[in-house]
């Protein structure tokens, strides 16, 4: 005989736990020691344990604040009580129901006596009421589905229950309860197709077919139903049993719960669509605004709206200065995580030795100087979005850890011994050719393929010159104390420049013009005086690749500024830390003739 503990109320993970003879279940606050973790500060690390002796089951309280069983308090002195079937357990504000599960096949419920049938019917009504009342409180779709599936697992005495989705509003293609089966169980596509074609519940025992997954070979029976609302197809719900066949009464309970599930999923989707529309409207009022009406800009906005609806990682590609972080923030505003954290990190600006600690955190004493614990930006961005800029500059060790997060959703701090679950959507950006770096073994191929699922390509400014008037108008509003007019020759000069530094260069150029304009009119001569014309000459050389172009651009900027790093960084559109890294990467050294003239 096995026992089952089901969460009735409280923030507890997992919400259903089965215990076999000879095993024990530990409940507590500690994620290391407890098997059911209670997120409650008043719960002890190991608060209680459930175990058996022969056919009898017991609860032993170990918590300082005691445990209630059927209303009676047990503390550290009077700490052991025998559990009966349907015992009610309460630990602080967390409530559970303890039930005994008969081993082997169960008799069909249709064979119950009249009295047994009445009692079972009353119990089923109570379970359905609890199912609806408790799940109705959830405001997150994934948590609602997991809670509803946990209730159905108990009500139907099922071993595994799963949701195979076809809607775009969940990041996972499937949800499986118990959660530790999520990697092992492949939900049957054949059952999904049958249920979808028939438009109703199908049962495995009534069909002489083989399941299309070796992981399901040991299951004796299965139920599957499509989740459809009008013409909206959300997916299919699967229920599997090891020991017994589902009865007609099980099937009825399953079908009673389906309309409620479908209605709630549809409600979540409608709310998501309404919020998305509102976010599109609100984005125009944000301090981070996408400016432009050119065809390349319209294509960029289309890409942004497309990827924002999903939960997968995004890879943003584009030259330096095109506004990749602005694109990432726009995706965040339009995504399901809008209103939650957006944490930007420039991987190139952080030394290799510190980047891993900055991303994943570190424990006290993890390395010399680690006198305080650091949680890391992944924990800071938990439940939100982490933006990793200059991804191509990340070390191999950090790439391996990032891949682990993408594949398993867990992180481990530097010096730590335990993995921690995080829910972070990653948006990465780079101006490097990651595909080429992958082929050259300078970037992990497996990480590249994991990131290169949803891709956004940001066009350079030279491909959207018609947007320059709108960009100038936008930047001018940020200098409200300055009212300048650009004449026809000025516009012509601005649009003839090739803008290798893209929007960052345009903005810096305008700032210099605003600061140095002698009168209120900007003409072509004034514009050209503030533009680095040598960039245009470099871009006109067809034999150069991107790396050579980068080297020449940096060398020209250093030469023009007499190796003044701050001014060279401004011209190239790079921050100073990134510029120093580029010098080391390309082996660019200051000429000896300049060393005496420039202070270190």
């Amino acid at each position: 005989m096995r026992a089952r503990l089901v969460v009735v109320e409280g923030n507890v993970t997992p919400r259903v736990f089965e215990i076999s003879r000879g095993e024990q279940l530990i409940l507590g606050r500690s994620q290391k020691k407890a098997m059911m973790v209670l997120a409650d500060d008043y719960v002890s690390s190991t608060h209680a344990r459930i175990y058996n002796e022969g056919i009898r089951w017991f609860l032993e309280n170990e918590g300082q604040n005691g445990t209630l069983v059927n209303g009676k308090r047990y503390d550290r002195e009077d700490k052991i009580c025998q559990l009966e079937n349907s015992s009610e357990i309460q630990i602080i504000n967390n409530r559970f129901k303890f039930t005994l599960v008969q081993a082997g096949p169960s008799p069909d419920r249709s064979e119950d006596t009249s009295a047994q049938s009445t009692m079972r019917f009353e119990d089923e009504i109570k379970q359905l009421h609890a199912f609806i009342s408790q799940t109705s409180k959830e405001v997150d779709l994934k948590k609602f589905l997991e809670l509803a599936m946990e209730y159905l697992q108990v009500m139907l005495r099922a071993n595994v229950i799963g949701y195979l989705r076809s809607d775009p509003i969940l990041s996972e293609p499937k949800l499986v309860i118990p959660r530790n089966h999520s990697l092992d169980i492949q939900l049957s596509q054949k059952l999904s197709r049958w249920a979808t074609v028939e438009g109703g519940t199908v049962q495995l025992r009534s069909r002489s077919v083989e399941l299309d997954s070796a992981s399901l070979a040991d299951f004796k029976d299965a139920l599957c139903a499509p989740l459809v609302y009008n013409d909206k197809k959300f997916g299919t719900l699967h229920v599997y049993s090891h020991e017994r066949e589902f009865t007609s009464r099980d099937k009825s309970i399953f079908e009673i719960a389906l309309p409620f599930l479908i209605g709630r999923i549809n409600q979540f989707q409608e709310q998501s669509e309404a919020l998305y529309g509102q976010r599109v409207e609100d984005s125009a009022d944000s301090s981070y605004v996408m400016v432009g009406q050119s065809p390349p800009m319209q294509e960029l906005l289309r890409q942004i709206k497309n990827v924002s609806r999903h939960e997968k990682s995004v890879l943003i590609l584009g030259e330096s200065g095109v506004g990749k972080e602005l694109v990432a923030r726009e995706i965040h505003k339009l995504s399901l995580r809008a209103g939650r954290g957006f944490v930007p990190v420039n991987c190139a600006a952080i030394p290799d030795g510190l980047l891993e600690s900055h991303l994943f955190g570190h424990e006290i004493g993890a390395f010399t100087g680690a006198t305080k614990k650091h949680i890391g930006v992944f924990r800071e961005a938990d439940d939100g979005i982490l933006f990793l800029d200059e991804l191509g500059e990340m070390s191999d060790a950090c790439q391996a850890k990032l891949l682990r997060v993408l594949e398993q959703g867990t992180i481990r701090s530097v010096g730590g011994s335990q993995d921690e679950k995080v829910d972070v959507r990653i948006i990465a950006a780079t101006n490097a050719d990651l595909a080429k770096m992958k082929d050259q073994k300078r970037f992990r191929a497996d990480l590249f393929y994991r990131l290169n699922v949803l891709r956004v390509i940001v066009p350079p400014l030279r491909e959207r010159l018609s947007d320059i008037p709108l960009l100038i108008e936008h930047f001018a509003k940020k200098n409200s104390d300055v009212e300048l007019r650009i004449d026809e020759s000025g516009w012509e000069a601005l649009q003839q420049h090739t803008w290798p530094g893209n929007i960052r260069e345009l903005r810096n150029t305008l700032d210099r013009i605003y600061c140095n304009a002698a009168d209120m009119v900007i003409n072509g001569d004034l514009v050209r005086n503030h533009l680095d014309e040598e960039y245009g000459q470099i871009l006109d050389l067809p034999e150069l690749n991107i790396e050579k172009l980068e080297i020449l651009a940096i060398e020209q900027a250093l030469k023009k500024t007499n190796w003044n790093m701050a001014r060279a960084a401004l011209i190239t559109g790079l921050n100073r830390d990134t510029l120093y890294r580029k010098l080391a990467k390309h082996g660019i050294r200051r000429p000896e003739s300049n060393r005496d003239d420039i202070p270190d």
Side-chain angles (χ1 to χ4, degrees):
M1 179 179 290
R2 302 192 313 275
R4 179 181 290 154
L5 192 66
V6 180
V7 179
V8 177
E9 182 178 358
N11 187 3
V12 183
T13 306
R15 300 189 71 84
V16 180
F17 200 101
E18 287 197 359
I19 324 158
S20 299
R21 283 188 180 184
E23 298 179 344
Q24 68 172 351
L25 167 60
I26 298 175
L27 300 96
R29 193 181 71 250
S30 172
Q31 295 188 357
K32 297 180 181 179
K33 301 177 181 178
M35 300 155 79
M36 290 188 84
V37 180
L38 288 67
D40 191 322
D41 291 338
Y42 293 98
V43 174
S44 299
S45 296
T46 54
H47 197 100
R49 70 184 184 100
I50 296 174
Y51 61 97
N52 77 297
E53 293 180 359
I55 62 171
R56 296 186 300 170
W57 290 86
F58 298 90
L59 179 143
E60 180 178 358
N61 174 73
E62 300 176 356
Q64 182 177 355
N65 293 319
T67 302
L68 295 177
V69 179
N70 295 326
K72 181 180 177 180
R73 177 182 172 84
Y74 292 84
D75 52 29
R76 289 182 172 176
E77 294 182 1
D78 182 17
K79 62 181 183 180
I80 298 178
C81 73
Q82 183 173 343
L83 297 173
E84 304 291 342
N85 189 36
S86 299
S87 291
E88 295 181 354
I89 301 170
Q90 183 170 345
I91 300 177
I92 313 299
N93 294 319
N94 307 279
R95 297 192 299 114
F96 308 84
K97 186 171 183 179
F98 175 86
T99 56
L100 299 177
V101 182
Q102 296 289 339
S106 300
D108 192 298
R109 291 174 179 172
S110 62
E111 299 176 3
D112 292 346
T113 65
S114 177
Q116 290 174 328
S117 179
T118 301
M119 291 176 62
R120 193 177 296 279
F121 176 73
E122 291 175 351
D123 187 49
E124 289 167 350
I125 293 298
K126 290 178 181 177
Q127 289 179 331
L128 282 169
H129 179 266
F131 163 72
I132 293 174
S133 62
Q134 292 297 321
T135 57
S136 296
K137 298 175 183 178
E138 284 294 344
V139 295
D140 179 83
L141 174 59
K142 182 182 176 183
K143 292 179 180 178
F144 160 75
L145 286 169
E146 289 178 337
L147 181 58
M149 289 160 61
E150 287 169 353
Y151 268 100
L152 283 174
Q153 183 190 22
V154 174
M155 292 162 62
L156 301 176
R157 294 181 290 164
N159 296 100
V160 174
I161 183 166
Y163 171 59
L164 190 63
R165 75 170 178 88
S166 57
D167 64 282
I169 58 176
L170 279 175
S171 57
E172 298 91 344
K174 67 175 182 178
L175 294 175
V176 174
I177 299 296
R179 293 179 182 85
N180 58 346
H181 283 62
S182 61
L183 296 178
D184 304 326
I185 299 296
Q186 300 298 320
L187 302 178
S188 174
Q189 295 283 357
K190 280 187 178 180
L191 284 178
S192 291
R193 287 193 292 270
W194 287 332
T196 302
V197 170
E198 294 201 2
T201 304
V202 296
Q203 187 167 0
L204 178 64
R205 68 169 181 173
S206 63
R207 298 183 178 275
S208 57
V209 295
E210 293 183 0
L211 290 171
D212 51 345
S213 172
S215 64
L216 298 177
D218 294 333
F219 289 108
K220 189 170 185 178
D221 199 7
L223 297 172
C224 181
L227 303 180
V228 180
Y229 185 90
N230 293 334
D231 58 344
K232 300 178 184 177
K233 297 179 181 180
F234 302 123
T236 49
L237 190 66
H238 297 241
V239 184
Y240 299 104
S241 173
H242 274 304
E243 299 94 352
R244 68 187 188 91
E245 292 184 353
F246 292 113
T247 66
S248 58
R249 201 153 182 169
D250 292 326
K251 187 176 179 181
S252 296
I253 293 173
F254 181 64
E255 291 177 333
I256 289 172
L258 286 176
F260 172 73
L261 277 173
I262 294 170
R264 286 287 283 149
I265 294 173
N266 181 66
Q267 186 179 25
F268 276 111
Q269 188 180 66
E270 288 181 346
Q271 290 172 350
S272 175
E273 290 172 351
L275 287 172
Y276 175 79
Q278 185 62 49
R279 289 193 292 268
V280 171
E281 293 179 9
D282 293 344
S283 65
D285 301 326
S286 171
S287 57
Y288 299 97
V289 180
M290 304 293 293
V291 178
Q293 297 178 354
S294 64
M297 190 62 182
Q298 294 304 309
E299 170 60 19
L300 174 61
L301 293 174
R302 186 197 65 77
Q303 293 181 49
I304 290 172
K305 290 180 180 179
N306 179 51
V307 304
S308 67
R309 292 175 175 268
H310 301 274
E311 280 284 277
K312 297 293 185 182
S313 299
V314 181
L315 182 61
I316 302 175
L317 303 175
E319 298 175 6
S320 179
V322 293
K324 294 186 289 293
E325 181 174 342
L326 185 64
V327 170
R329 290 185 180 275
E330 188 73 8
I331 294 172
H332 173 241
K333 285 188 299 183
L334 300 179
S335 74
L336 296 171
R337 297 175 186 252
R340 308 177 199 174
F342 178 90
V343 181
V345 176
N346 189 326
C347 300
I350 303 172
D352 286 340
L354 297 179
L355 182 58
E356 185 176 352
S357 168
H358 186 72
L359 292 175
F360 307 106
H362 65 251
E363 303 297 321
I364 297 175
F367 49 83
T368 303
T371 57
K372 294 182 180 180
K373 182 175 180 177
H374 174 57
I375 65 170
V377 293
F378 265 98
R379 291 185 186 88
E380 185 182 344
D382 196 16
D383 204 35
I385 286 178
L386 178 63
F387 174 58
L388 299 176
D389 199 6
E390 300 283 2
L391 184 73
E393 304 295 326
M394 186 176 284
S395 67
D396 290 342
C398 284
Q399 288 181 36
K401 277 202 164 186
L402 178 58
L403 179 65
R404 180 183 178 89
V405 179
L406 290 169
E407 290 184 336
Q408 301 181 16
T410 60
I411 62 170
R412 181 178 295 188
S413 60
V414 178
S417 59
Q418 296 291 327
D419 292 337
E420 293 185 38
K421 194 80 174 175
V422 291
D423 178 18
V424 177
R425 185 183 186 189
I426 293 175
I427 300 179
T430 182
N431 59 6
D433 188 344
L434 290 187
K436 182 178 180 180
M437 292 177 65
K438 168 183 68 70
D439 295 338
Q440 296 173 343
K441 310 299 183 184
R442 293 164 54 200
F443 193 85
R444 291 183 65 111
D446 44 8
L447 179 58
F448 173 77
Y449 294 127
R450 289 288 299 189
L451 288 171
N452 195 33
V453 178
L454 298 175
R455 184 167 57 176
V456 175
I457 301 175
V458 187
L461 184 56
R462 62 181 175 274
E463 293 181 5
R464 42 179 294 224
L465 294 175
S466 61
D467 288 331
I468 287 180
L470 294 175
L471 288 165
I472 292 176
E473 181 182 355
H474 172 71
F475 293 138
K477 290 179 180 178
K478 296 182 178 294
N479 296 275
S480 55
D481 56 327
V482 179
E483 293 184 6
L484 299 177
R485 185 174 63 84
I486 303 176
D487 67 12
E488 185 175 347
S489 65
W491 286 118
E492 183 178 353
L494 287 168
Q495 293 189 315
Q496 285 179 347
H497 188 55
T498 47
W499 302 106
N502 293 292
I503 296 175
R504 185 184 290 121
E505 184 191 358
L506 172 64
R507 182 168 187 173
N508 291 339
T509 300
L510 291 173
D511 287 343
R512 292 196 296 271
I513 290 174
Y514 291 149
C515 293
N516 296 288
D519 53 32
M520 305 304 289
V521 178
I522 299 176
N523 57 37
D525 291 336
L526 183 60
V527 170
R528 282 185 284 272
N529 287 338
H530 289 279
L531 287 174
D532 186 1
E533 295 179 341
E534 295 182 56
Y535 277 122
Q537 296 170 8
I538 293 173
L539 282 170
D540 289 338
L541 298 177
E543 71 276 7
L544 293 179
N545 59 32
I546 292 177
E547 188 170 345
K548 290 181 180 178
L549 175 63
E550 183 175 75
I551 293 172
L552 283 175
I554 292 173
E555 288 177 341
Q556 292 286 347
L558 291 170
K559 179 180 178 181
K560 189 175 186 67
T561 61
N562 196 28
W563 277 78
N564 183 301
M565 299 301 288
R567 292 174 57 200
L570 181 66
I571 291 175
T572 58
L574 302 172
N575 63 52
R576 292 183 64 178
D577 290 331
T578 302
L579 181 57
Y580 278 114
R581 289 171 64 92
K582 299 287 187 184
L583 295 181
K585 175 182 176 182
H586 298 305
I588 301 174
R589 298 181 181 276
R590 186 166 58 195
E592 293 294 333
S593 59
N594 292 82
R595 292 184 182 272
D596 296 334
D597 301 331
I598 303 173
D600 293 331

